[in-house]
Amino acid sequence: MPDAPAEPTAAPSTSGARPVAGVCAKPAAGPAKAPAGAVTVDPAVVGDLAAKTKDSPPGTTFWLRPGKHRLEPDRYAQVIPKKGNRYVGAPGAVLDGGRTNQYAFGGDARDVTIRHLTVQGFVAPHDEGVVNHDSADGWVIEHATIQRNSGAGLMAGARQQVRASCLRGNGQYGMNAYKGTGRITGLVVEGNEIVGNNTGDWERRREGCGCTGGVKFWAVDGADVRGNWVHDNRGAGLWADTNNNDFRIENNVIEANDGAALMYETSYNAVIRKNTIRRNNWVEGRRYAERGDNFPFATVYLSESGGEPRVRARTDRIEIHQNLLENNWSGITLWENADRFCNSPANTSSGDCTLLARDTDRCVRPAIARPPLYDDCRWKTQRVDIHDNRFVLDRAVVKCTAKCDRMAVLANYGTYPDWSPYQGERVAEAITHDQHNRWHDNVYLGPWTFVAHDPSRVLDFAQWQGAPYLQDADSTLDPRDGG
């Protein structure tokens, strides 16, 4: 696996959002002396941390001395915490997997805390993680540096808090918020730097795997993602995929990711506000454009996701407001794949059904062709409210002449499977006109174009505002000013 990128040299952008810290360059130092009652761990003794964890009762605090700590040289050697254990690193304390150990911290113990510790050099398999490998609940990771590992640096369980940490240069994800059994609830991701992840470039190795980025969220019910600096990741910066709900994504700086800044896919109910989103999607957007693909690949991409009052959350819509989007490859795309629904062979989230019809066996003909299953068996891009944002585009900065300037709401022509009740233009008509998706009160600077209904309908601002689309009421466009 390639090494992580060099230390960031530029401070994060802060205009339009609260300042975020470059925690990778200046990590907070841990205690230079052992906390009262702590068990001291010696880096000179191979396996000392795992052995002392095994021999100590639940709720023990461990203080790791400065230096490089190692586990036994076996691929499955790892630390198995007990409930309430706390692991605190001294300045310069590193737990190193030596490119031999797969996992650093595993097991199902709850309420474990890891602070001021660097974890590096572990070789977790694809789709697995190094810290909290088994997605135990209630973990707190603070002021940690998790870097240069294969797989995901960090997994997540319910009520997990990840704060002020550096998730850098990991082979697949900085964090994979996935729990094999049950949903993740009450997740907090705050004040972290998430940089240079997916060094393994997994989308190239497994095309269409949907398995890369800074952070991936799966079936998370309730997440606060705030004040993070998410930058220079291969693939998407943040990607919520499959039955996520009740997200607040706010006051982040998301910039210079190869793909979208944010993808929200087959998921529900979110507030996305006060984020600074700059220079994203230059690599992936350009790649699709250069091969002749006319799909509006966007920097904020909502795919089969919308507001749903029947799914309990702090909001009953997706609201995108008070964000600054500057010099990204395109803007916001609302998309719905007519062929993707529960029990369809075209559903890439295979085996998953919507939160309204959890039983895939119900979503079959003839019942799916009429209410309530006609609506409940598909993820809908609906009730999306996009307002009071500032969209800035300077083509000279992005280095593009076409296809980097689009805002879109669209679907494909339904064709598959042959028993689908969504064939033809039904979904395209619904997402464009009937599902309460609205842009309004936005400011556009630069040569923006707009796409509605399907990729062939490219509109100017007057057409976008006029009938039958009626978008961007009380918004303004200055096509001459992209600076």
Side-chain angles (χ1 to χ4, degrees):
M1 183 183 73
D3 287 339
E7 292 280 357
T9 57
S13 305
T14 56
S15 175
R18 294 178 184 173
V20 294
V23 294
C24 293
K26 295 183 179 180
K33 295 182 179 180
V39 173
T40 297
V41 182
D42 187 352
V45 179
V46 173
D48 198 38
L49 179 60
K52 286 178 174 173
T53 295
K54 182 178 180 180
D55 293 340
S56 301
T60 299
T61 296
F62 300 88
W63 179 69
L64 285 76
R65 289 183 180 273
K68 185 177 289 188
H69 297 253
R70 292 194 180 275
L71 303 174
E72 295 290 343
D74 177 88
R75 62 188 299 189
Y76 296 115
Q78 59 190 286
V79 181
I80 306 295
K82 297 174 183 175
K83 182 179 179 180
N85 279 3
R86 294 172 294 276
Y87 297 88
V88 183
V94 176
L95 179 60
D96 194 298
R99 312 304 302 167
T100 298
N101 309 118
Q102 292 189 346
Y103 316 121
F105 293 91
D108 59 3
R110 297 188 173 199
D111 304 326
V112 172
T113 298
I114 298 172
R115 289 192 174 101
H116 302 291
L117 182 63
T118 294
V119 180
Q120 65 184 33
F122 288 82
V123 287
H126 184 258
D127 288 339
E128 297 186 41
V130 169
V131 175
N132 197 9
H133 168 260
D134 298 294
S135 301
D137 296 339
W139 284 41
V140 176
I141 294 92
E142 289 185 323
H143 305 295
T145 297
I146 303 174
Q147 64 181 8
R148 297 196 291 272
N149 303 287
S150 299
L154 177 63
M155 301 296 286
R159 298 178 289 102
Q160 182 157 300
Q161 300 179 43
V162 185
R163 301 181 187 271
S165 292
C166 170
L167 309 181
R168 174 174 57 185
N170 295 290
Q172 189 178 359
Y173 305 109
M175 182 171 74
N176 185 11
Y178 171 80
K179 191 174 177 70
T181 56
R183 293 170 65 77
I184 295 173
T185 59
L187 178 64
V188 175
V189 183
E190 181 175 24
N192 305 286
E193 184 175 352
I194 302 164
V195 53
N197 295 290
N198 186 27
T199 60
D201 205 3
W202 278 98
E203 295 290 343
R204 297 277 186 97
R205 295 165 67 177
R206 298 186 182 181
E207 186 174 356
C209 73
C211 62
T212 58
V215 180
K216 191 77 181 278
F217 304 89
W218 309 83
V220 175
D221 190 6
D224 292 303
V225 183
R226 55 182 178 248
N228 302 284
W229 184 20
V230 184
H231 66 105
D232 295 286
N233 296 285
R234 280 182 176 161
L238 303 173
W239 188 347
D241 185 0
T242 310
N243 286 337
N244 297 278
N245 174 53
D246 195 14
F247 272 53
R248 289 193 175 180
I249 301 170
E250 54 192 358
N251 293 303
N252 302 284
V253 174
I254 310 175
E255 57 188 346
N257 297 287
D258 284 3
L262 170 63
M263 297 178 66
Y264 206 70
E265 181 178 358
T266 55
S267 294
Y268 302 88
N269 301 324
V271 175
I272 302 164
R273 64 185 176 190
K274 298 183 179 179
N275 301 286
T276 297
I277 301 173
R278 286 182 167 143
R279 303 187 305 280
N280 296 282
N281 205 28
W282 287 15
V283 174
E284 294 189 4
R286 193 183 316 278
R287 182 185 304 147
Y288 284 106
E290 289 178 347
R291 73 185 192 188
D293 196 320
N294 69 340
F295 186 85
F297 289 94
T299 286
V300 176
Y301 180 41
L302 272 60
S303 176
E304 297 88 31
S305 294
E308 176 50 73
R310 291 175 292 171
V311 177
R312 185 176 179 181
R314 291 167 287 182
T315 182
D316 61 2
R317 54 186 173 162
I318 292 182
E319 187 175 14
I320 304 173
H321 68 108
Q322 296 176 274
N323 302 284
L324 170 64
L325 283 83
E326 183 175 50
N327 290 327
N328 301 285
W329 190 280
S330 288
I332 298 174
T333 287
L334 308 187
W335 161 254
E336 197 169 323
N337 181 348
D339 299 330
R340 186 178 189 181
F341 54 91
C342 178
N343 217 32
S344 167
N347 177 23
T348 54
S349 298
S350 56
D352 287 292
C353 199
T354 70
L355 294 182
L356 301 175
R358 295 175 183 270
D359 184 359
T360 59
D361 293 338
R362 296 178 61 206
C363 296
V364 295
R365 57 183 174 183
I368 194 174
R370 58 181 181 268
L373 294 183
Y374 181 85
D375 295 298
D376 293 353
C377 288
R378 67 174 301 113
W379 294 271
K380 287 186 174 182
T381 302
Q382 64 178 6
R383 299 172 61 86
V384 181
D385 189 8
I386 301 168
H387 66 93
D388 293 288
N389 302 285
R390 183 178 178 88
F391 300 105
V392 179
L393 176 63
D394 186 337
R395 284 180 176 167
V397 173
V398 183
K399 295 182 174 60
C400 78
T401 57
K403 297 184 179 179
C404 64
D405 56 358
R406 293 175 291 179
M407 206 72 58
V409 54
L410 76 165
N412 57 323
Y413 190 92
T415 61
Y416 182 77
D418 58 8
W419 53 268
S420 168
Y422 312 108
Q423 295 189 30
E425 296 185 354
R426 292 182 180 185
V427 174
E429 287 291 315
I431 189 175
T432 305
H433 302 296
D434 303 327
Q435 292 180 182
H436 307 287
N437 298 313
R438 289 290 176 263
W439 280 255
H440 62 93
D441 296 286
N442 298 295
V443 173
Y444 295 89
L445 301 175
W448 289 93
T449 59
F450 304 86
V451 180
H453 190 275
D454 63 76
S456 70
R457 296 193 190 181
V458 181
L459 313 172
D460 62 26
F461 192 53
Q463 293 169 320
W464 175 249
Q465 287 189 307
Y469 308 107
L470 301 175
Q471 292 292 359
D472 263 317
D474 299 314
S475 297
T476 61
L477 169 68
D478 186 346
R480 300 165 300 176
D481 186 359

